[in-house]
Amino acid sequence: AKALARVAARRAAARAAPLARLPIETRGGTVLVDPQAIAYARFDGALVTLFAATASWVTTLTLSELEDRLGPDFVRVDRRHVVNLREVVRLEPNDAGGATAVTRAGARVPVSRQARRDLARRLAL
């Protein structure tokens, strides 16, 4: 019970204080990325790739860890994607009941049916 309480406290603290810069380990060293530059993150089955308008980075962080570290502007929209709400310019419905979030840079991020309702509410649609 104590261990679970510690984990919950750490997660709450991480959500309360989003990082000013996210450290990403690369072959050439650690890159410090401005979280607001990140449009979305995608899990490919082994690693997570962070996408910005002009660059991308591969990280060993999980999507859950990224959500905790990046703050309330970042939302899980399906099992494999987290999107920056500030980067979403359009939400397009699809035939399956989900949607596609389109970012400022034109990236298309799939949104599950369950996440579509929450995303539409948070985007005030």
Side-chain angles (χ1 to χ4, degrees):
K2 287 181 183 180
L4 290 174
R6 282 193 306 268
V7 169
R10 286 183 190 148
R11 292 189 96 181
R15 284 198 187 275
L19 295 175
R21 294 187 292 172
L22 180 68
I24 303 294
E25 297 293 330
T26 67
R27 290 182 184 162
T30 303
V31 177
L32 298 172
V33 178
D34 176 6
Q36 292 309 314
I38 299 168
Y40 69 101
R42 180 183 66 216
F43 175 66
D44 67 8
L47 297 171
V48 172
T49 304
L50 303 171
F51 294 91
T54 60
S56 63
W57 305 272
V58 176
T59 180
T60 57
L61 294 171
T62 66
L63 289 178
S64 293
E65 290 170 333
L66 284 171
E67 280 183 288
D68 289 343
R69 293 180 186 197
L70 294 174
D73 288 336
F74 290 82
V75 177
R76 176 83 65 106
V77 292
D78 74 1
R79 291 178 17 195
R80 295 183 177 263
H81 295 89
V82 169
V83 70
N84 182 348
L85 294 177
R86 293 176 185 241
E87 290 292 314
V88 175
V89 294
R90 189 169 59 244
L91 194 60
E92 299 174 347
N94 65 28
D95 294 337
T100 300
V102 181
T103 68
R104 289 181 196 178
R108 302 177 63 78
V109 182
V111 178
S112 71
R113 284 183 301 199
Q114 294 83 6
R116 178 183 177 196
R117 287 182 290 256
D118 182 50
L119 188 58
R121 182 180 48 78
R122 292 190 64 181
L123 292 171
L125 298 176

